[in-house]
Each structure stands twice: as structure tokens, then as C-alpha cells.
Coordinates of all heavy atoms in Angstrom, one line a residue:
M1 N -31.9 -17.2 98.5 CA -32.7 -17.3 97.3 C -31.7 -17.1 96.1 O -30.8 -16.2 96.1 CB -33.7 -16.2 97.3 CG -34.6 -16.2 96.1 SD -36.0 -15.1 96.3 CE -35.7 -13.9 95.0
E2 N -31.9 -17.8 95.1 CA -31.1 -17.8 93.9 C -31.3 -16.5 93.1 O -32.5 -16.1 92.9 CB -31.3 -19.0 93.0 CG -30.4 -19.1 91.8 CD -30.7 -20.3 91.0 OE1 -30.9 -21.4 91.6 OE2 -30.8 -20.2 89.7
E3 N -30.3 -15.8 92.7 CA -30.4 -14.5 91.9 C -30.9 -14.8 90.5 O -30.4 -15.7 89.8 CB -29.1 -13.8 91.8 CG -29.2 -12.4 91.3 CD -29.9 -11.4 92.1 OE1 -30.0 -11.6 93.3 OE2 -30.4 -10.4 91.5
K4 N -32.0 -14.2 90.1 CA -32.6 -14.4 88.8 C -31.9 -13.4 87.8 O -31.5 -12.3 88.1 CB -34.1 -14.1 88.8 CG -34.8 -15.0 89.6 CD -35.2 -16.3 88.8 CE -36.1 -17.2 89.6 NZ -36.4 -18.4 88.9
V5 N -31.8 -13.8 86.5 CA -31.3 -13.0 85.5 C -32.5 -12.5 84.7 O -33.4 -13.3 84.3 CB -30.4 -13.8 84.5 CG1 -30.0 -12.9 83.3 CG2 -29.2 -14.3 85.2
I6 N -32.6 -11.2 84.7 CA -33.8 -10.5 84.0 C -33.3 -10.0 82.7 O -32.3 -9.3 82.6 CB -34.4 -9.4 84.9 CG1 -35.0 -10.1 86.1 CG2 -35.5 -8.7 84.1 CD1 -35.7 -9.1 87.1
Y7 N -34.0 -10.3 81.6 CA -33.6 -9.8 80.3 C -34.4 -8.5 80.1 O -35.6 -8.4 80.4 CB -33.9 -10.8 79.2 CG -33.0 -12.1 79.4 CD1 -33.5 -13.2 80.1 CD2 -31.7 -12.1 79.0 CE1 -32.7 -14.3 80.3 CE2 -30.9 -13.2 79.2 CZ -31.4 -14.3 79.8 OH -30.6 -15.3 80.0
Y8 N -33.7 -7.5 79.5 CA -34.3 -6.2 79.3 C -34.7 -5.9 77.9 O -34.1 -6.5 77.0 CB -33.2 -5.1 79.7 CG -33.0 -5.0 81.2 CD1 -32.0 -5.8 81.8 CD2 -33.7 -4.1 82.0 CE1 -31.8 -5.7 83.1 CE2 -33.4 -4.0 83.3 CZ -32.5 -4.8 83.9 OH -32.2 -4.7 85.2
I9 N -35.7 -5.0 77.8 CA -36.0 -4.5 76.4 C -35.8 -3.0 76.5 O -35.9 -2.4 77.5 CB -37.5 -4.9 76.1 CG1 -38.5 -4.2 77.0 CG2 -37.7 -6.4 76.0 CD1 -39.9 -4.2 76.5
S10 N -35.5 -2.5 75.3 CA -35.4 -1.0 75.2 C -36.5 -0.5 74.3 O -37.0 -1.3 73.4 CB -34.0 -0.6 74.5 OG -33.0 -1.0 75.4
F11 N -36.9 0.7 74.5 CA -38.0 1.3 73.7 C -37.9 2.8 73.8 O -37.2 3.3 74.6 CB -39.4 0.7 74.1 CG -39.8 1.1 75.4 CD1 -40.6 2.2 75.7 CD2 -39.4 0.3 76.5 CE1 -41.0 2.5 77.0 CE2 -39.8 0.6 77.8 CZ -40.6 1.7 78.0
Y12 N -38.7 3.5 73.0 CA -38.7 4.9 73.0 C -39.4 5.5 74.2 O -40.5 5.2 74.5 CB -39.3 5.5 71.7 CG -39.3 7.0 71.8 CD1 -38.1 7.7 71.5 CD2 -40.5 7.7 72.1 CE1 -38.1 9.1 71.6 CE2 -40.4 9.1 72.2 CZ -39.3 9.8 71.9 OH -39.2 11.1 72.0
S13 N -38.6 6.3 75.0 CA -39.2 6.9 76.2 C -38.2 8.0 76.5 O -37.0 8.0 76.3 CB -39.2 5.9 77.3 OG -39.4 6.5 78.6
T14 N -38.7 9.1 77.2 CA -37.9 10.2 77.6 C -37.4 10.0 79.0 O -36.6 10.7 79.5 CB -38.6 11.5 77.5 OG1 -39.8 11.5 78.3 CG2 -38.9 11.8 76.0
L15 N -38.0 9.0 79.7 CA -37.7 8.7 81.1 C -37.0 7.4 81.4 O -36.0 7.3 82.1 CB -39.0 8.7 82.0 CG -38.9 8.4 83.4 CD1 -38.2 9.5 84.2 CD2 -40.3 8.2 84.0
I16 N -37.4 6.4 80.6 CA -36.9 5.0 80.9 C -36.0 4.6 79.8 O -36.3 4.7 78.6 CB -38.1 4.1 80.9 CG1 -39.1 4.5 82.0 CG2 -37.7 2.6 81.1 CD1 -40.5 3.8 81.9
E17 N -34.8 4.1 80.2 CA -33.8 3.6 79.2 C -34.2 2.1 78.8 O -34.2 1.8 77.6 CB -32.4 3.6 79.8 CG -31.4 3.1 78.9 CD -30.0 3.1 79.5 OE1 -29.7 4.0 80.3 OE2 -29.1 2.3 79.1
R18 N -34.6 1.3 79.8 CA -34.9 -0.1 79.5 C -35.7 -0.7 80.6 O -35.7 -0.2 81.7 CB -33.7 -0.9 79.2 CG -32.7 -1.0 80.4 CD -31.5 -1.7 80.0 NE -30.6 -1.8 81.2 CZ -29.5 -2.4 81.3 NH1 -29.1 -3.1 80.2 NH2 -28.8 -2.5 82.4
L19 N -36.4 -1.8 80.3 CA -37.3 -2.5 81.2 C -36.9 -3.9 81.2 O -36.5 -4.5 80.2 CB -38.8 -2.4 80.8 CG -39.4 -1.0 80.7 CD1 -40.8 -1.2 80.0 CD2 -39.6 -0.5 82.1
G20 N -37.1 -4.6 82.4 CA -37.0 -6.0 82.5 C -38.1 -6.6 83.4 O -38.5 -5.9 84.3
Y21 N -38.5 -7.8 83.1 CA -39.6 -8.4 83.9 C -39.3 -9.9 84.0 O -39.0 -10.5 83.1 CB -40.9 -8.1 83.3 CG -42.1 -8.6 84.1 CD1 -42.5 -7.9 85.2 CD2 -42.8 -9.7 83.7 CE1 -43.5 -8.3 86.0 CE2 -43.9 -10.2 84.5 CZ -44.2 -9.5 85.6 OH -45.3 -9.9 86.4
D22 N -39.5 -10.4 85.3 CA -39.5 -11.8 85.5 C -40.9 -12.2 85.9 O -41.3 -11.9 87.1 CB -38.5 -12.1 86.6 CG -38.4 -13.6 86.9 OD1 -39.2 -14.4 86.5 OD2 -37.4 -14.0 87.6
P23 N -41.6 -12.9 85.1 CA -43.0 -13.3 85.4 C -43.1 -14.3 86.5 O -44.1 -14.3 87.3 CB -43.6 -13.9 84.1 CG -42.4 -14.2 83.3 CD -41.3 -13.3 83.7
Q24 N -42.1 -15.2 86.7 CA -42.2 -16.2 87.8 C -42.1 -15.5 89.2 O -42.6 -16.0 90.1 CB -41.0 -17.2 87.6 CG -41.2 -18.0 86.4 CD -40.1 -19.1 86.2 OE1 -39.0 -18.9 86.6 NE2 -40.4 -20.1 85.5
C25 N -41.3 -14.4 89.3 CA -41.2 -13.8 90.5 C -42.0 -12.5 90.6 O -41.9 -11.8 91.7 CB -39.7 -13.4 90.8 SG -38.7 -14.9 90.9
A26 N -42.6 -12.1 89.5 CA -43.4 -10.8 89.4 C -42.5 -9.6 89.8 O -42.9 -8.7 90.5 CB -44.6 -10.9 90.3
L27 N -41.2 -9.6 89.3 CA -40.3 -8.5 89.5 C -40.2 -7.7 88.2 O -39.9 -8.2 87.1 CB -38.9 -9.1 89.8 CG -38.7 -9.7 91.2 CD1 -37.3 -10.3 91.3 CD2 -39.0 -8.7 92.3
L28 N -40.3 -6.4 88.4 CA -40.1 -5.4 87.3 C -38.9 -4.6 87.6 O -38.7 -4.1 88.8 CB -41.3 -4.5 87.2 CG -41.2 -3.4 86.2 CD1 -41.1 -3.9 84.8 CD2 -42.3 -2.4 86.4
E29 N -38.0 -4.5 86.7 CA -36.8 -3.6 86.8 C -36.9 -2.5 85.8 O -37.1 -2.8 84.6 CB -35.5 -4.4 86.7 CG -35.3 -5.3 87.9 CD -34.0 -6.1 87.9 OE1 -33.2 -5.8 87.0 OE2 -33.8 -6.9 88.8
V30 N -36.6 -1.3 86.2 CA -36.7 -0.1 85.4 C -35.4 0.7 85.5 O -35.0 1.1 86.6 CB -37.9 0.8 85.8 CG1 -38.0 2.0 84.9 CG2 -39.2 0.0 85.7
K31 N -34.7 0.9 84.4 CA -33.5 1.7 84.4 C -33.9 3.0 83.8 O -34.4 3.1 82.7 CB -32.4 1.1 83.6 CG -31.1 1.9 83.6 CD -29.9 1.2 83.0 CE -28.7 2.0 83.2 NZ -27.5 1.4 82.6
L32 N -33.6 4.1 84.6 CA -33.9 5.4 84.2 C -32.9 6.1 83.4 O -31.7 5.9 83.6 CB -34.2 6.3 85.4 CG -35.3 5.7 86.4 CD1 -35.5 6.6 87.6 CD2 -36.6 5.6 85.6
L33 N -33.3 6.9 82.4 CA -32.3 7.6 81.6 C -31.6 8.8 82.3 O -30.4 9.0 82.1 CB -33.0 8.3 80.4 CG -33.4 7.3 79.2 CD1 -34.3 8.0 78.2 CD2 -32.1 6.9 78.5
S34 N -32.3 9.5 83.1 CA -31.8 10.7 83.7 C -30.6 10.5 84.6 O -29.6 11.3 84.5 CB -32.9 11.4 84.5 OG -33.4 10.6 85.6
D35 N -30.6 9.5 85.5 CA -29.5 9.3 86.4 C -28.9 7.9 86.3 O -28.0 7.6 87.1 CB -30.0 9.6 87.8 CG -31.2 8.7 88.2 OD1 -31.5 7.8 87.5 OD2 -31.8 9.1 89.3
G36 N -29.4 7.0 85.5 CA -28.8 5.7 85.3 C -29.2 4.7 86.4 O -28.7 3.6 86.4
Q37 N -30.1 5.1 87.3 CA -30.5 4.2 88.4 C -31.4 3.2 87.9 O -32.2 3.4 87.0 CB -31.2 5.0 89.5 CG -30.3 6.0 90.2 CD -31.0 6.7 91.4 OE1 -32.2 6.6 91.5 NE2 -30.3 7.5 92.1
T38 N -31.3 2.0 88.5 CA -32.2 0.9 88.2 C -33.0 0.6 89.5 O -32.4 0.5 90.5 CB -31.4 -0.4 87.8 OG1 -30.7 -0.1 86.6 CG2 -32.4 -1.5 87.5
W39 N -34.3 0.6 89.3 CA -35.2 0.3 90.4 C -35.9 -1.0 90.2 O -36.3 -1.4 89.1 CB -36.3 1.4 90.4 CG -35.7 2.7 90.9 CD1 -35.2 3.7 90.1 CD2 -35.7 3.2 92.2 NE1 -34.7 4.7 90.9 CE2 -35.0 4.4 92.2 CE3 -36.1 2.7 93.5 CZ2 -34.8 5.2 93.4 CZ3 -35.8 3.4 94.6 CH2 -35.2 4.6 94.5
R40 N -36.1 -1.8 91.3 CA -36.8 -3.1 91.2 C -38.1 -2.9 92.0 O -38.1 -2.4 93.1 CB -35.9 -4.2 91.9 CG -36.6 -5.5 91.9 CD -35.8 -6.6 92.5 NE -34.7 -6.9 91.6 CZ -33.6 -7.5 91.9 NH1 -33.3 -7.7 93.2 NH2 -32.7 -7.7 91.0
Y41 N -39.1 -3.4 91.3 CA -40.5 -3.4 91.9 C -41.0 -4.8 92.1 O -40.9 -5.6 91.2 CB -41.4 -2.6 91.0 CG -41.0 -1.2 90.9 CD1 -40.1 -0.8 89.9 CD2 -41.5 -0.2 91.8 CE1 -39.7 0.5 89.7 CE2 -41.1 1.1 91.6 CZ -40.2 1.5 90.6 OH -39.8 2.8 90.5
E42 N -41.4 -5.2 93.3 CA -41.9 -6.5 93.6 C -43.4 -6.6 93.5 O -44.1 -5.7 93.8 CB -41.4 -6.9 95.0 CG -39.9 -6.9 95.2 CD -39.5 -7.3 96.6 OE1 -40.4 -7.7 97.4 OE2 -38.3 -7.1 96.9
G43 N -43.9 -7.8 93.1 CA -45.3 -8.1 93.1 C -46.1 -7.4 92.0 O -47.3 -7.2 92.1
V44 N -45.4 -7.1 90.9 CA -46.0 -6.4 89.8 C -46.7 -7.5 88.9 O -46.0 -8.4 88.3 CB -45.0 -5.6 88.9 CG1 -45.6 -5.0 87.7 CG2 -44.3 -4.6 89.8
P45 N -48.0 -7.4 88.7 CA -48.7 -8.4 87.9 C -48.2 -8.3 86.4 O -47.8 -7.2 85.9 CB -50.1 -8.0 88.0 CG -50.2 -7.1 89.2 CD -48.9 -6.5 89.3
E46 N -48.3 -9.4 85.8 CA -47.9 -9.5 84.4 C -48.7 -8.6 83.5 O -48.2 -8.0 82.5 CB -48.0 -10.9 83.8 CG -47.2 -11.2 82.6 CD -47.0 -12.7 82.3 OE1 -47.5 -13.5 83.1 OE2 -46.4 -13.0 81.3
E47 N -49.9 -8.4 83.8 CA -50.8 -7.5 83.1 C -50.2 -6.0 83.1 O -50.3 -5.3 82.1 CB -52.2 -7.5 83.7 CG -53.2 -6.5 83.1 CD -54.5 -6.6 83.8 OE1 -55.0 -7.7 84.0 OE2 -55.0 -5.5 84.2
V48 N -49.7 -5.6 84.3 CA -49.1 -4.3 84.4 C -47.9 -4.1 83.5 O -47.7 -3.1 82.8 CB -48.8 -3.9 85.9 CG1 -48.0 -2.6 86.0 CG2 -50.1 -3.9 86.7
W49 N -47.1 -5.2 83.5 CA -45.9 -5.2 82.6 C -46.3 -5.0 81.1 O -45.7 -4.2 80.4 CB -45.2 -6.5 82.8 CG -44.3 -7.0 81.7 CD1 -44.5 -8.1 80.9 CD2 -43.1 -6.5 81.3 NE1 -43.5 -8.3 80.0 CE2 -42.6 -7.3 80.2 CE3 -42.3 -5.4 81.7 CZ2 -41.4 -7.0 79.6 CZ3 -41.1 -5.1 81.0 CH2 -40.7 -5.9 80.0
Y50 N -47.3 -5.8 80.7 CA -47.7 -5.6 79.3 C -48.3 -4.2 79.0 O -48.0 -3.6 78.0 CB -48.8 -6.7 78.9 CG -48.1 -8.1 78.8 CD1 -48.5 -9.1 79.6 CD2 -47.2 -8.3 77.8 CE1 -47.9 -10.4 79.4 CE2 -46.6 -9.5 77.6 CZ -47.0 -10.6 78.4 OH -46.4 -11.8 78.3
R51 N -49.1 -3.7 79.9 CA -49.6 -2.4 79.7 C -48.5 -1.3 79.7 O -48.6 -0.4 78.9 CB -50.6 -2.0 80.8 CG -51.9 -2.8 80.7 CD -52.9 -2.4 81.7 NE -54.2 -3.1 81.5 CZ -55.1 -3.1 82.4 NH1 -55.0 -2.5 83.5 NH2 -56.2 -3.8 82.1
L52 N -47.5 -1.4 80.5 CA -46.4 -0.5 80.5 C -45.7 -0.5 79.2 O -45.4 0.5 78.5 CB -45.4 -0.8 81.6 CG -44.1 0.0 81.7 CD1 -44.4 1.5 81.8 CD2 -43.2 -0.5 82.8
R53 N -45.4 -1.7 78.7 CA -44.6 -1.9 77.4 C -45.4 -1.4 76.2 O -44.8 -0.9 75.3 CB -44.4 -3.4 77.1 CG -43.5 -4.1 78.0 CD -43.2 -5.5 77.5 NE -43.9 -6.0 76.3 CZ -43.9 -7.3 76.0 NH1 -43.3 -8.1 76.7 NH2 -44.5 -7.7 74.9
E54 N -46.7 -1.6 76.2 CA -47.5 -1.3 75.1 C -48.2 0.1 75.1 O -48.9 0.5 74.2 CB -48.5 -2.4 74.9 CG -47.9 -3.7 74.6 CD -48.8 -4.9 74.7 OE1 -50.0 -4.7 74.9 OE2 -48.3 -6.0 74.5
N55 N -48.0 0.8 76.2 CA -48.7 2.1 76.4 C -48.1 3.2 75.5 O -46.9 3.2 75.3 CB -48.6 2.6 77.9 CG -49.6 3.6 78.2 OD1 -49.4 4.8 77.9 ND2 -50.6 3.2 78.9
Y56 N -48.9 4.0 74.9 CA -48.5 5.1 74.1 C -47.7 6.1 74.8 O -46.9 6.9 74.2 CB -49.6 5.7 73.3 CG -50.5 6.6 74.2 CD1 -50.3 7.9 74.3 CD2 -51.6 6.0 74.9 CE1 -51.2 8.7 75.1 CE2 -52.4 6.7 75.7 CZ -52.2 8.1 75.8 OH -53.0 8.8 76.7
N57 N -47.8 6.2 76.1 CA -47.0 7.1 77.0 C -46.5 6.3 78.2 O -47.0 6.5 79.3 CB -47.9 8.3 77.4 CG -47.1 9.4 78.1 OD1 -45.9 9.2 78.5 ND2 -47.7 10.6 78.2
P58 N -45.5 5.5 78.0 CA -45.0 4.7 79.1 C -44.5 5.5 80.3 O -44.5 5.0 81.4 CB -43.8 3.9 78.4 CG -43.4 4.7 77.2 CD -44.6 5.4 76.8
D59 N -44.0 6.7 80.1 CA -43.5 7.5 81.2 C -44.6 7.8 82.1 O -44.5 7.7 83.4 CB -42.8 8.8 80.7 CG -41.7 8.6 79.7 OD1 -41.2 7.4 79.7 OD2 -41.2 9.5 79.1
A60 N -45.7 8.3 81.6 CA -46.9 8.6 82.5 C -47.4 7.4 83.1 O -47.8 7.4 84.3 CB -48.0 9.3 81.6
Y61 N -47.5 6.3 82.4 CA -48.0 5.0 83.0 C -47.1 4.6 84.1 O -47.6 4.2 85.2 CB -48.1 3.9 81.9 CG -48.8 2.7 82.4 CD1 -50.1 2.5 82.2 CD2 -48.0 1.7 83.0 CE1 -50.8 1.4 82.7 CE2 -48.7 0.5 83.5 CZ -50.0 0.4 83.3 OH -50.6 -0.7 83.8
Y62 N -45.8 4.6 83.9 CA -44.8 4.3 85.0 C -45.1 5.1 86.2 O -45.1 4.6 87.3 CB -43.4 4.4 84.4 CG -42.3 4.3 85.5 CD1 -42.1 3.1 86.1 CD2 -41.6 5.4 85.8 CE1 -41.1 3.0 87.0 CE2 -40.6 5.3 86.8 CZ -40.3 4.1 87.4 OH -39.3 4.0 88.3
R63 N -45.1 6.4 86.1 CA -45.3 7.3 87.2 C -46.6 7.1 87.9 O -46.7 7.2 89.1 CB -45.2 8.8 86.8 CG -43.8 9.2 86.4 CD -43.7 10.6 86.1 NE -42.4 11.0 85.7 CZ -42.0 11.6 84.6 NH1 -42.9 11.9 83.7 NH2 -40.8 12.0 84.4
R64 N -47.7 6.9 87.1 CA -49.0 6.8 87.7 C -49.4 5.4 88.3 O -50.0 5.3 89.3 CB -50.1 7.1 86.6 CG -51.5 7.2 87.2 CD -52.4 7.8 86.2 NE -53.7 7.9 86.8 CZ -54.8 8.4 86.2 NH1 -54.7 8.7 85.0 NH2 -55.9 8.5 86.9
Y65 N -48.9 4.3 87.6 CA -49.4 3.0 88.0 C -48.3 2.1 88.7 O -48.6 1.0 89.1 CB -50.0 2.3 86.8 CG -51.2 2.9 86.3 CD1 -51.2 3.7 85.2 CD2 -52.4 2.9 87.0 CE1 -52.4 4.3 84.7 CE2 -53.6 3.5 86.6 CZ -53.5 4.2 85.4 OH -54.7 4.9 85.0
I66 N -47.1 2.6 88.7 CA -46.0 1.7 89.3 C -45.3 2.4 90.4 O -45.2 1.8 91.5 CB -45.0 1.3 88.2 CG1 -45.8 0.4 87.1 CG2 -43.8 0.5 88.8 CD1 -45.0 0.1 85.9
C67 N -44.8 3.6 90.2 CA -44.1 4.3 91.3 C -45.0 4.5 92.5 O -46.1 5.0 92.4 CB -43.7 5.7 90.8 SG -42.4 5.7 89.6
G68 N -44.5 4.0 93.7 CA -45.2 4.2 94.9 C -46.3 3.2 95.1 O -47.0 3.2 96.2
R69 N -46.6 2.3 94.1 CA -47.7 1.3 94.3 C -47.2 -0.1 94.6 O -48.0 -0.9 95.0 CB -48.5 1.3 93.0 CG -49.2 2.6 92.8 CD -50.2 2.5 91.6 NE -50.9 3.8 91.5 CZ -52.2 3.9 91.8 NH1 -52.9 3.0 92.3 NH2 -52.8 5.1 91.5
Y70 N -45.9 -0.3 94.4 CA -45.3 -1.6 94.7 C -44.1 -1.4 95.5 O -43.4 -0.4 95.4 CB -45.0 -2.3 93.4 CG -46.2 -2.6 92.5 CD1 -46.5 -1.7 91.4 CD2 -47.0 -3.7 92.7 CE1 -47.6 -1.9 90.6 CE2 -48.1 -3.9 91.9 CZ -48.4 -3.0 90.9 OH -49.5 -3.2 90.1
P71 N -43.7 -2.5 96.3 CA -42.5 -2.3 97.1 C -41.3 -2.1 96.1 O -41.2 -2.8 95.1 CB -42.3 -3.7 97.8 CG -43.7 -4.2 97.8 CD -44.4 -3.7 96.6
E72 N -40.5 -1.1 96.4 CA -39.4 -0.8 95.4 C -38.1 -0.7 96.2 O -38.0 -0.4 97.4 CB -39.7 0.5 94.7 CG -39.8 1.7 95.6 CD -40.3 3.0 94.9 OE1 -41.0 2.9 93.9 OE2 -39.9 4.0 95.4
E73 N -37.0 -0.9 95.4 CA -35.6 -0.8 95.9 C -34.7 -0.4 94.8 O -34.9 -0.9 93.6 CB -35.2 -2.0 96.6 CG -34.5 -3.0 95.8 CD -33.9 -4.2 96.5 OE1 -32.9 -4.1 97.2 OE2 -34.5 -5.3 96.4
K74 N -33.8 0.5 95.1 CA -32.8 0.9 94.1 C -31.7 -0.2 94.1 O -31.2 -0.5 95.1 CB -32.2 2.3 94.4 CG -31.1 2.7 93.4 CD -30.7 4.1 93.7 CE -29.6 4.1 94.8 NZ -28.9 5.4 94.9
I75 N -31.4 -0.7 92.9 CA -30.5 -1.8 92.9 C -29.2 -1.5 92.2 O -28.2 -2.2 92.4 CB -31.1 -3.1 92.2 CG1 -31.5 -2.8 90.8 CG2 -32.2 -3.7 93.1 CD1 -31.9 -4.1 90.0
S76 N -29.1 -0.3 91.5 CA -27.8 0.1 90.9 C -27.9 1.5 90.4 O -29.0 2.1 90.2 CB -27.4 -0.8 89.8 OG -28.2 -0.6 88.6
S77 N -26.8 2.1 90.2 CA -26.7 3.4 89.6 C -25.4 3.5 88.7 O -24.6 2.6 88.8 CB -26.7 4.5 90.6 OG -25.4 4.5 91.4
K78 N -25.3 4.5 87.9 CA -24.1 4.7 87.0 C -22.9 4.7 87.9 O -21.9 4.1 87.5 CB -24.2 5.9 86.2 CG -25.2 5.8 85.0 CD -25.1 7.1 84.2 CE -26.0 6.9 83.0 NZ -26.1 8.1 82.2
Q79 N -22.9 5.4 89.0 CA -21.7 5.5 89.8 C -21.3 4.1 90.4 O -20.1 3.8 90.4 CB -22.0 6.4 91.0 CG -22.2 7.9 90.6 CD -23.6 8.2 90.2 OE1 -24.5 7.4 90.4 NE2 -23.8 9.3 89.5
E80 N -22.2 3.3 90.8 CA -21.9 2.0 91.3 C -21.4 1.1 90.2 O -20.5 0.3 90.5 CB -23.2 1.4 92.0 CG -23.6 2.1 93.2 CD -24.9 1.7 93.7 OE1 -25.6 0.8 93.1 OE2 -25.4 2.2 94.7
E81 N -21.9 1.2 89.0 CA -21.5 0.3 87.9 C -20.1 0.7 87.5 O -19.4 -0.2 86.9 CB -22.5 0.5 86.7 CG -23.8 -0.2 87.1 CD -24.9 0.1 86.0 OE1 -24.5 0.8 85.0 OE2 -26.0 -0.3 86.1
A82 N -19.7 1.9 87.7 CA -18.3 2.4 87.2 C -17.2 1.8 88.1 O -16.1 1.7 87.7 CB -18.3 3.9 87.2
H83 N -17.6 1.4 89.3 CA -16.5 0.8 90.2 C -16.4 -0.6 90.2 O -17.1 -1.4 89.8 CB -16.9 1.2 91.7 CG -16.8 2.7 91.9 ND1 -15.6 3.4 91.9 CD2 -17.8 3.6 92.0 CE1 -15.9 4.7 92.1 NE2 -17.2 4.9 92.2

């Protein structure tokens, strides 16, 4: 499978540094502020992406409606990016 390039957006959050979404593959990527890890979530509907971006409390929305609800994998961390 060809690797997709996901473009990220930044916004105000105490948990999330940036978000990226690919609507064709329904992939959501979330880079966390605390440890620099980036998590990829598969099968995330576009509606969930819009709700996360536009929510007044994106941290709570992320924890409640995304974490543990979609297949996830850690794809990078600050330590890995440094090498």
C-alpha cells in the first residue's frame, strides 16, 4: 500500500499538539504534547474528525470518543525522530 501524506493542523489544546486526517482512508493522526508520540487511528469517520477539531474541549472529546474506540498504533515519538 502506498504511504499517504497527511497534512496536520495545530490548535489550542493542553493534550494535543497537532491533528491530521485523511478522509479517503479514514485515518486520524494525533501528536501529543506530553511525550511527542504520534498515534494513528483507523476507520475514524469524517464526522468525528470535524467534531474533534471544532469541540470547545478537544482533549476531553479525544479521550472520550477516540481513545480505545478505533484501532490504534503508535507511529512515532520524539526519541525516534531524533535518530
Side-chain angles (χ1 to χ4, degrees):
M1 187 170 115
E2 185 178 315
E3 188 68 25
K4 295 275 184 180
V5 175
I6 295 181
Y7 296 98
Y8 288 88
I9 63 167
S10 297
F11 63 95
Y12 178 75
S13 167
T14 59
L15 176 67
I16 301 166
E17 181 177 333
R18 61 186 183 175
L19 298 170
Y21 185 72
D22 180 346
Q24 292 180 335
C25 298
L27 289 176
L28 173 67
E29 292 185 2
V30 178
K31 184 171 183 181
L32 303 177
L33 280 169
S34 61
D35 56 10
Q37 292 182 354
T38 300
W39 290 87
R40 176 178 289 157
Y41 299 88
E42 297 178 10
V44 178
E46 199 166 357
E47 175 182 313
V48 172
W49 156 248
Y50 286 118
R51 286 183 179 169
L52 173 62
R53 295 186 352 194
E54 297 169 2
N55 198 283
Y56 71 95
N57 189 345
D59 300 346
Y61 188 90
Y62 170 69
R63 287 184 180 126
R64 185 169 188 183
Y65 295 105
I66 296 171
C67 291
R69 294 187 179 252
Y70 299 97
E72 62 185 30
E73 89 176 287
K74 182 173 79 167
I75 59 172
S76 71
S77 68
K78 282 184 180 177
Q79 293 83 14
E80 293 169 358
E81 291 173 1
H83 295 286

